[in-house]
Amino acid sequence: MTSMPDAALATDRRWLVFRIAGQAYAAPLSRVSEVIRDSDVTPVPGAASDLLGIRHLRGQIVPVMDGARRLGLTPAAIDLEHVRIVVLAEGGHRIGLRVDAVGELLQSDGEIAPPPPGRGGRDSDPVDGVLPLNGGFVALLDVRRLCRLPQDDLAA
């Protein structure tokens, strides 16, 4: 059974598109705090395999996740000059997501389709819908699920 995209997702109209492992993904622009150049992160012993480490960013400690690992993708060959960290903000939390390259801003017309079959039923899957893009599609990410934040933690 295919679920429709989250109601909050449908209200977002502008998206930042980026590439991870050769595939197009997007996060709601309202959740993008900033985009920064990739730089050294401090590893965290015993952390999840998709957590690259932490980074000090203007007085705050920001965890940085590997986008490909988090999404279960095989990393593709990348041009290190284009690698960026997209800093996402959700419910008082900030987290960096390392992406292969940042693309364009996408304006949706409210035609968000449900995620591909088999994806929408998993609560931990951050893909919440898809939008057409240049003859293909872009997978829309739910930042709360991407960052593994519990629903009740968003009031913080």
Side-chain angles (χ1 to χ4, degrees):
M1 176 176 183
T2 316
S3 67
M4 288 306 294
D6 185 285
L9 181 72
T11 64
D12 287 306
R13 294 276 196 220
R14 297 177 58 198
W15 302 84
L16 177 66
V17 179
F18 41 84
R19 290 232 167 259
I20 299 175
Q23 298 181 34
Y25 289 88
L29 191 58
S30 63
R31 301 295 191 280
V32 176
S33 171
E34 59 191 295
V35 177
I36 58 176
R37 289 194 171 276
D38 189 25
S39 65
D40 292 332
V41 296
T42 304
V44 177
S49 64
D50 59 7
L51 184 69
L52 295 169
I54 56 174
R55 179 180 171 165
H56 200 271
L57 185 61
R58 285 185 284 292
Q60 286 190 310
I61 302 295
V62 177
V64 178
M65 298 172 72
D66 181 292
R69 286 186 203 161
R70 173 62 182 100
L71 295 167
L73 303 171
T74 303
I78 56 170
D79 179 351
L80 293 177
E81 184 177 321
H82 294 104
V83 173
R84 296 290 184 265
I85 296 173
V86 177
V87 181
L88 303 166
E90 179 75 41
H93 298 273
R94 288 177 50 168
I95 191 160
L97 183 69
R98 183 183 284 170
V99 302
D100 301 342
V102 172
E104 64 210 79
L105 289 177
L106 178 64
Q107 179 86 22
S108 75
D109 296 327
E111 298 178 15
I112 298 172
R119 290 205 79 135
R122 296 182 302 201
D123 231 12
S124 63
D125 190 341
V127 175
D128 206 25
V130 295
L131 276 174
L133 177 68
N134 302 330
F137 71 91
V138 59
L140 305 177
L141 298 173
D142 178 301
V143 173
R144 178 190 59 82
R145 288 196 313 241
L146 179 72
C147 300
R148 296 186 182 99
L149 296 173
Q151 185 66 34
D152 60 347
D153 202 22
L154 298 180

